[in-house]
């Protein structure tokens, strides 16, 4: 009997080890630790759990779990102006020696003389001139390196930190949480597609093929026997406002089931997402934290949030109150 | 002793079940069963094994394993003409009653009267007119349904089968083999992006966000309070020849490490792929099987393979001899 008992114990232990070794130990971990408890966090988790639940009538197969994120003001800070404009100013200064004509011709003259202070006075045409002068006439590979070099040294005027440290920790957690639930996360930004791709994979975990943005035209050329793509000073696509659904359709070809923005520039993307059938999730980040980041909405020149906020309230979209909902703003806080 | 022995056997059986239950049973299965043994098959397998081998100096991380495939003539048949043109003819007939002006104006008059026979005489401008007349003025969702409806009933004039059955079985296996080795497979076709997306996920396992093609412009409009994208009769992008690297950069933002084509329209895509650093793989499908499919190359009007074939021979790219290398052509053969 003793021997039988001994073998029974060995048998039981082996079976236990075998079974637990095969199964996954599931622990309850907060997927959004930088989010305070509240409606925003609850809504996000409830939506993700619902669409990922095979027994739910609102279940969505993984291939259709497309989530689109605006970048400026949604994933990273956008004040005092879009960081890409600060890049343009620095690049104008860098290139000035090769362009003596900029010393006498606007808008480059004003930008070289007054930097950031020159921007508010520039109209759309002048802004485009600034962007073409500083973003074209390189190959795509050269431009990627120029962006990386700038990000490695440039610092934000208020926070005195590299721009890539001014990404929102709660949104990084949200991106990771969605991907852990088999969502494909895309950026859909008014910013330049080639200005984002060199760094968003490392910083957000979003590969270049999941980045949609504004672009200039490129042209295939052969240099020293090798094909290169030359960046031309000509607009190809503006991925903003009514352009966002167009860009989403062009690149993804499938309607998102979740969309995240922070300004009126994102309104059409959220409307486009909301107009799909079945369960949808729309969220706006409301910048309410003048101390830790910036506070702005209806009156702001950059990242104006007016009509989209009204529509969010009427349609019961989720609005993040940055000050109240986020425990920390940046990863290194 | 007998009891001990009995328990020992039970113990051993349980341990065996437990261990084999946890591990994956690996069996040597031919990943490309429809490919005859030969240089093409050997080259493909050697390349995939090399870039997926962490101990190899030519190892490529999964995120960078981008493979691009032309569609017409590479993944499915393209004769007697690109199937999208056969769709355009059928659609013209369908729409004719609403367009009495087509009865007197070229090129629609000729297309309505002579169908396929009218095509060789059409110049580029006329072909574009035919495409605009038959591909625009619907919403994107309507157009997707129109394509699906056509594919559900239309049949190939020679093979009398639905077009989606005229995909190449060996290429389906190649797509699956690459994905099993963590490649992302993309279509990069001169054909219409919205003509492909409605069916390529089901047929090739390629999701809409991994389809690149030619396109017309779209415009956001509100209809009955809902946003729709209206297809405009205006070319947005031609994804052919020098346009292919441009399209790849625009959509993927990363250089492929493998590219598959069948005509001179794919030459720049293969050159662009080949010009990257480290290990690359370039392949051309040479249509040599007049009995089971079609035989054509340098003199062909559709899918002309001339310069690309010369370059493949000089640069030692892999050339598939359809007749010799493929055991079967279509899945239902």
């Amino acid at each position: 009997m003793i021997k039988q008992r001994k073998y029974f114990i060995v048998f039981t232990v082996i079976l236990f080890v075998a079974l637990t070794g095969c199964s996954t130990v599931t622990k309850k971990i907060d997927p959004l630790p930088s989010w305070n408890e509240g409606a925003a966090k609850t809504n996000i988790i409830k939506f993700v759990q619902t669409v990922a639940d095979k027994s739910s009538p609102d279940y969505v197969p993984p291939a259709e779990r497309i989530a689109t994120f605006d970048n400026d003001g949604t994933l990273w800070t956008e004040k005092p102006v879009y960081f890409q404009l600060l890049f343009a100013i620095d690049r104008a200064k860098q290139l000035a020696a090769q362009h003596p004509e900029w010393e006498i011709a606007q808008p480059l003259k004003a930008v070289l003389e007054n930097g950031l202070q020159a921007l508010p006075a520039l109209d759309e045409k002048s802004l485009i001139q600034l962007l073409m002068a500083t973003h074209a006439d390189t190959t795509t590979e050269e431009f990627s390196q120029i962006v990386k070099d700038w990000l490695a040294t440039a610092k934000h005027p208020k926070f005195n930190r590299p721009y890539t440290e001014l990404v929102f920790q709660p949104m990084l957690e949200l991106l990771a949480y969605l991907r852990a639930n088999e969502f494909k996360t895309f950026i859909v930004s008014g910013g330049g597609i080639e200005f984002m791709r060199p760094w968003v994979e490392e910083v957000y975990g979003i590969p270049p093929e999941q980045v949609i943005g504004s672009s200039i035209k490129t042209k295939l050329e052969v240099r020293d026997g090798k094909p290169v793509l030359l960046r031309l000073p000509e607009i190809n696509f503006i991925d903003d406002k009514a352009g966002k659904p167009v860009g989403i359709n062009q690149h993804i070809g499938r309607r998102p089931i979740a969309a995240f923005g922070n300004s009126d520039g994102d309104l059409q993307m959220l409307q486009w997402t909301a107009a799909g059938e079945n369960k949808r999730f729309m969220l706006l980040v409301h910048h309410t934290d003048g101390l830790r980041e910036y506070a702005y909405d209806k009156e702001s020149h950059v990242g104006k949030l007016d009509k989209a906020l009204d529509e969010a309230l009427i349609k019961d979209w989720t609005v993040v109150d940055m000050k109240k909902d986020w425990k920390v703003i940046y990863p290194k806080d």
Side-chain angles (χ1 to χ4, degrees), chain A:
Chain A
M1 272 309 276
I2 289 172
K3 250 184 200 159
Q4 250 194 358
R5 205 191 171 97
K6 204 176 107 192
Y7 282 112
F8 184 71
I9 291 168
V10 169
F11 168 93
T12 312
V13 167
I14 290 166
L15 196 68
F16 179 76
V17 169
L19 290 176
T20 55
C22 278
S23 79
T24 312
V25 181
T26 49
K27 237 187 188 175
K28 206 156 181 175
I29 297 171
D30 183 353
L32 302 172
S34 299
W35 292 69
N36 283 312
E37 298 307 319
K41 181 172 180 171
T42 304
N43 292 351
I44 292 167
I45 292 175
K46 200 177 151 193
F47 170 75
V48 171
Q49 285 178 345
T50 301
V51 298
D53 175 5
K54 276 197 174 166
S55 68
S56 163
D58 293 318
Y59 172 74
V60 176
E64 292 169 26
R65 291 183 206 158
I66 302 290
T68 54
F69 288 81
D70 170 56
N71 183 41
D72 297 307
T74 299
L75 295 178
W76 74 351
T77 290
E78 63 183 347
K79 292 268 186 179
V81 293
Y82 304 125
F83 297 168
Q84 191 173 355
L85 288 176
L86 299 171
F87 163 79
I89 295 168
D90 287 350
R91 178 122 179 96
K93 289 175 186 166
Q94 204 181 31
L95 292 172
Q98 300 162 43
H99 292 273
E101 74 278 15
W102 290 356
E103 277 172 43
I104 46 166
Q106 296 297 3
L108 271 299
K109 183 175 184 292
V111 169
L112 291 174
E113 282 169 2
N114 304 316
L116 183 55
Q117 273 63 51
L119 294 188
L122 300 187
D123 59 10
E124 201 187 313
K125 197 185 143 203
S126 301
L127 275 175
I128 288 171
Q129 274 183 283
L130 169 63
L131 289 171
M132 294 304 120
T134 53
H135 284 65
D137 297 324
T138 69
T139 69
T140 49
E141 293 196 336
E142 286 163 359
F143 188 73
S144 174
Q145 193 56 51
I146 288 163
V147 172
K148 282 182 196 166
D149 290 346
W150 181 74
L151 287 171
T153 55
K155 289 195 174 166
H156 188 275
K158 175 176 171 181
F159 295 107
N160 196 35
R161 288 188 199 176
Y163 293 101
T164 47
E165 288 182 16
L166 300 179
V167 297
F168 303 136
Q169 175 62 25
M171 297 304 279
L172 296 181
E173 292 167 9
L174 175 55
L175 286 168
Y177 176 51
L178 289 169
R179 289 193 292 259
N181 284 278
E182 297 181 77
F183 277 76
K184 261 194 179 177
T185 53
F186 285 81
I187 291 175
V188 179
S189 170
I193 192 167
E194 300 292 17
F195 179 74
M196 296 183 282
R197 281 174 166 165
W199 56 273
V200 296
E201 187 162 35
E202 197 184 321
V203 174
Y204 299 141
I206 296 180
E209 64 269 25
Q210 286 165 222
V211 180
I212 304 168
S214 298
S215 55
I216 55 178
K217 288 194 189 296
T218 61
K219 192 185 154 202
L220 190 72
E221 280 196 359
V222 178
R223 280 190 183 176
D224 307 324
K226 274 189 73 169
V228 296
L229 286 169
L230 190 67
R231 291 169 57 79
L232 307 178
E234 191 184 337
I235 288 177
N236 179 55
F237 181 64
I238 302 287
D239 190 48
D240 197 29
K241 298 190 174 72
K244 290 205 174 191
V246 172
I248 287 170
N249 182 63
Q250 179 78 11
H251 282 254
I252 310 180
R254 178 130 63 186
R255 198 188 295 259
I257 64 165
F260 304 83
N262 78 296
S263 78
D264 284 1
D266 304 314
L267 178 55
Q268 287 88 343
M269 173 169 77
L270 269 65
Q271 288 170 333
W272 178 248
T273 302
E277 284 168 20
N278 305 329
K279 200 93 184 156
R280 305 277 145 176
F281 188 77
M282 283 64 61
L283 181 147
L284 285 172
V285 175
H286 189 187
H287 292 257
T288 52
D289 199 327
L291 203 66
R292 294 188 298 172
E293 204 243 7
Y294 293 93
Y296 58 97
D297 45 39
K298 289 178 190 276
E299 305 299 326
S300 181
H301 187 66
V302 175
K304 177 176 178 174
L305 176 63
D306 182 11
K307 285 181 186 161
L309 190 58
D310 293 343
E311 190 151 336
L313 297 175
I314 292 165
K315 298 198 171 160
D316 209 20
W317 295 344
T318 296
V319 178
V320 170
D321 181 332
M322 193 181 254
K323 190 176 174 179
K324 224 182 76 196
D325 287 323
W326 288 359
K327 284 184 197 162
V328 295
I329 307 290
Y330 302 125
K332 298 205 175 172
D333 281 353

